[in-house]
Amino acid sequence: FFFQAEDGIRDYKVTGVQTCALPICLARSDPAAARDAFDDYARNGFLSADGQRRAAPRIAAALASASPADALHWILGLPADARSDALPEDALRYALRIRDWDGVSAALSLETPTEEAAQRWDYWKTRAAEARGALDAKALQARFGGVRSTRSYYGFLAAERIGAPLEMQDRKTTTDATTLEATAQEPGILRAREFFLTGDLVQSRREIGRAHV
């Protein structure tokens, strides 16, 4: 049989087994066989680098449904040009799912974090080092302290790890008297106030929700 190439794969002659142009379809029923077919196609030049990057996340997800450890180890063994930008993130999730801290470190080494992801990357890198006993208490305080310095999800997690207060970084909102007066005279706010004074809190909240302020 010949199957039209999808995901960057050249047509491939298959004897007796319909593969739907790629091990992707096989992954639905037999993830291990899909992995083996992927490796075989790539090794023999029937799968382009672009095809590998598109197919690998689907095969890894299928492997992870049965064994996150198998999916993690397979991703770590892929050549760099076969990994999509999202695959290191997948590897990190699989490693965390099974608490494989060496795997967490290995997954983090696959990517260079963007400025946006740097805090998450620093947190998990430090968390993995802590679990492996690779850092002393002083170093952990310093590393987690750096992550804790901003008000964010990972900042709060880091504060919890070292028993430090949450960095709330509150900022006061100031409003001038003119704006407050104009808002108080807005018809929806006036109606909300009247409903509030009569004890109808439900209708008062509805008016506030509809007010143009």
Side-chain angles (χ1 to χ4, degrees), residues 6 26 39 46 54 61 63 98 115 129 135 148-149 164 183 201:
E6 297 176 359
L26 187 58
D39 292 342
F46 294 109
R54 295 186 185 187
L63 285 169
I98 57 176
E115 184 176 348
L135 295 174
R148 169 189 166 272
S149 63
T183 300
L201 301 184

Side-chain angles (χ1 to χ4, degrees), residues 72 76 87-93 95 102-111 121:
L72 171 64
L76 294 177
L87 209 52
E89 188 76 24
D90 293 340
L92 177 60
R93 285 200 304 272
D102 288 327
V104 168
S105 295
L108 290 170
S109 73
L110 298 180
E111 61 177 330
W121 192 89

Side-chain angles (χ1 to χ4, degrees), residues 182-194 207 211-213:
T183 300
Q185 297 306 313
E186 206 279 333
I189 298 300
L190 291 172
R191 288 193 298 271
R193 181 176 183 275
E194 294 303 316
E207 290 292 343
H212 299 290
V213 295

Side-chain angles (χ1 to χ4, degrees), residues 16-103:
V17 179
Q18 182 170 336
T19 61
C20 302
L22 189 71
I24 286 176
C25 290
L26 187 58
R28 298 168 187 165
S29 58
D30 193 337
R35 174 199 60 204
D36 294 342
F38 177 99
D39 292 342
D40 183 58
Y41 281 22
R43 184 169 51 252
N44 289 289
F46 294 109
L47 193 54
S48 68
D50 183 58
Q52 292 176 58
R53 287 190 292 272
R54 295 186 185 187
R58 302 191 204 179
I59 296 173
L63 285 169
S65 65
S67 172
D70 286 349
L72 171 64
H73 295 150
W74 183 65
I75 293 172
L76 294 177
L78 289 173
D81 60 358
R83 293 193 299 264
S84 67
D85 292 341
L87 209 52
E89 188 76 24
D90 293 340
L92 177 60
R93 285 200 304 272
Y94 302 148
L96 290 171
R97 193 182 302 177
I98 57 176
R99 298 292 180 180
D100 180 350
W101 296 109
D102 288 327

